[in-house]
Amino acid sequence: MTKSFQQAFNALKEHTCLSYAKIATMGGLCNVDHIIVKATAPNGSPLSDKYVHQLLRLFAISPPCCRAFSLGFARRLGKTRSWRVALKCLLLLHRLLRSSPEDSLFRTELLINRSNGSISLYPCNFRDVSSSDPESFTAFIRSYARLVDEISNEDNHRRRPGPPNNSLEEIGRVLEVLEQIQSLIDRVIECKPTGVTARNFLIQTAMKHITRDSFVCYTVFKNDIVFLLENMFQMPTYRCCISAFDVYRKAALQADRLYEFYQWCKLMGVCGCYEYPFVDRIPLLQIQALESFINGMWEIKDDNGDHQSPSSSSLSSTAEKVGDEGEEERQPLIKLNDDDDDSWEDILEASVVNFSSHGSDEKDEWRIQVYNPFDGKYVSSDPNYPWGH
């Protein structure tokens, strides 16, 4: 009885807010608050583009509207207990962020209200009382809120045009950007809906925007990580090289999760199959080779100049980390002689594969199979090539 009363009271409150917004609009009082209420009506209709365009025009004409939106958004999201209203609030903010320059007044006002606690996206305190499965809808709204929070906080995830420069500042910037993008991709994957939410029309509409956002992030990521690989062994410090390796190692783990997420999205009809980027899978063998090489190429010293052994560095064993969690320890992909220690040269030599042109009598050409999986020019002659999907 209590749950039914909560649902009825929540529906009445949302209906009253919407009616007030309509009356105010008819009276010529169409301000930012009323646009927010109309855009986030608690019905089954998706967010209309016209409200996004209206707000963008207001921000351009009247800069104080940016502050009004931040305050109105905080009130609307903070008071609602309807997942439909909360979802449309987040989707509205998400689209406005993606349509606004990084140095816009809108983003500045949003950051100010986040810093003083007026807007709380992470942790998000929203709890749904309007559906038959409130736990699933609450979990999705909170995951989406965390993603939007990171999007509102990012400042440089889009790479500037022009050839990269090999300076220390450029390497440091690329590392920072890649870490931001990896975090964003993690948040995207966490937004995967479960239970009844997976087939809800409004949730699927939001998932299209979330998934397309990841397409842009992953494209930038692939471009920047090529630059990182090219400069990994020219880094001025061991710690910088370790940071680059950590990003690359996480990319190997994340690629499997992202591929599975995209497969689920395709199965559910989220976006067109032609829109999805090619997910480059990084083989375990390459991670092992890089780890062995980095451990052997540096004479490691700490900040005080004391000698430090490579075994005490952050390069822990990767064979157990890159793969499915909870599985038994896998056998090495290539077995070398047990009598000698496996050096990075042995691992790379063992990974060499024979490529020959189809129907050609030319001499076989030997190439390393796992040099750069992010190079679009790489083509395998094996029809069962498993890393690219």
Side-chain angles (χ1 to χ4, degrees), residues 113-388:
N113 283 277
R114 285 176 63 245
S115 62
N116 62 25
S118 299
I119 297 178
S120 179
L121 295 175
Y122 180 71
C124 178
N125 299 319
F126 170 80
R127 185 173 294 277
D128 177 57
V129 298
S130 63
S131 67
S132 58
D133 188 9
E135 290 79 12
S136 296
F137 286 101
T138 298
F140 179 80
I141 294 299
R142 290 183 176 182
S143 298
Y144 190 18
R146 186 176 182 184
L147 170 63
V148 175
D149 181 70
E150 288 213 17
I151 291 173
S152 66
N153 199 35
E154 67 179 353
D155 55 0
N156 198 18
H157 89 282
R158 295 169 184 156
R159 182 153 188 174
R160 295 184 179 89
N165 123 37
N166 293 333
S167 66
L168 179 60
E169 292 79 10
E170 177 68 10
I171 293 173
R173 190 195 67 81
V174 170
L175 278 172
E176 183 179 357
V177 170
L178 288 174
E179 289 171 355
Q180 287 180 1
I181 294 177
Q182 285 184 322
S183 181
L184 280 171
I185 292 176
D186 282 339
R187 302 291 82 77
V188 168
I189 295 173
E190 289 172 3
C191 285
K192 178 182 175 182
T194 58
V196 297
T197 61
R199 296 190 177 276
N200 183 275
F201 174 70
L202 286 181
I203 298 291
Q204 288 188 345
T205 301
M207 285 300 299
K208 289 182 180 180
H209 292 278
I210 294 171
T211 307
R212 287 192 177 109
D213 208 53
S214 73
F215 296 164
V216 178
C217 290
Y218 187 66
T219 301
V220 175
F221 179 83
K222 289 204 297 183
N223 293 335
D224 277 356
I225 205 168
V226 169
F227 170 74
L228 190 71
L229 279 172
E230 291 173 350
N231 293 275
M232 184 176 292
F233 304 122
Q234 302 174 16
M235 306 234 171
T237 65
Y238 180 76
R239 289 183 179 179
C240 196
C241 190
I242 292 301
S243 297
F245 176 78
D246 286 342
V247 167
Y248 195 67
R249 179 173 57 185
K250 182 176 180 180
L253 293 165
Q254 199 175 55
D256 293 333
R257 296 177 59 218
L258 185 63
Y259 171 75
E260 292 174 2
F261 175 76
Y262 282 165
Q263 289 298 104
W264 179 88
C265 289
K266 291 177 184 178
L267 184 65
M268 300 300 295
V270 178
C271 304
C273 292
Y274 62 90
E275 297 182 64
Y276 289 83
F278 183 91
V279 177
D280 296 298
R281 315 289 287 279
I282 302 175
L284 170 61
L285 184 62
Q286 186 178 12
I287 301 297
Q288 290 174 326
L290 284 173
E291 182 177 11
S292 299
F293 178 75
I294 293 173
N295 269 328
M297 72 175 289
W298 286 90
E299 179 181 359
I300 308 167
K301 294 184 179 181
D302 60 18
D303 294 338
N304 298 323
D306 298 328
H307 186 76
Q308 183 181 0
S309 172
S311 61
S312 63
S313 71
S314 62
L315 286 177
S316 57
S317 176
T318 330
E320 295 85 3
K321 291 185 179 180
V322 182
D324 296 331
E325 295 183 5
E327 287 188 1
E328 296 181 0
E329 183 175 349
R330 295 181 178 180
Q331 295 297 324
L333 298 180
I334 294 180
K335 294 184 178 180
L336 303 177
N337 295 331
D338 296 334
D339 299 335
D340 301 323
D341 293 334
D342 298 345
S343 66
W344 70 271
E345 294 95 337
D346 296 330
I347 297 176
L348 285 178
E349 183 179 356
S351 69
V352 174
V353 293
N354 190 324
F355 283 91
S356 58
S357 301
H358 181 69
S360 174
D361 295 328
E362 296 179 0
K363 186 178 180 180
D364 293 340
E365 181 181 2
W366 291 91
R367 296 179 182 175
I368 294 181
Q369 184 177 13
V370 291
Y371 170 65
N372 186 357
F374 292 93
D375 187 356
K377 298 179 181 179
Y378 177 85
V379 179
S380 171
S381 62
D382 184 359
N384 298 319
Y385 178 65
W387 300 332

Side-chain angles (χ1 to χ4, degrees), residues 7-17:
Q7 291 177 345
F9 177 76
N10 185 71
L12 178 62
K13 182 178 69 173
E14 298 294 349
H15 180 73
T16 303
C17 291

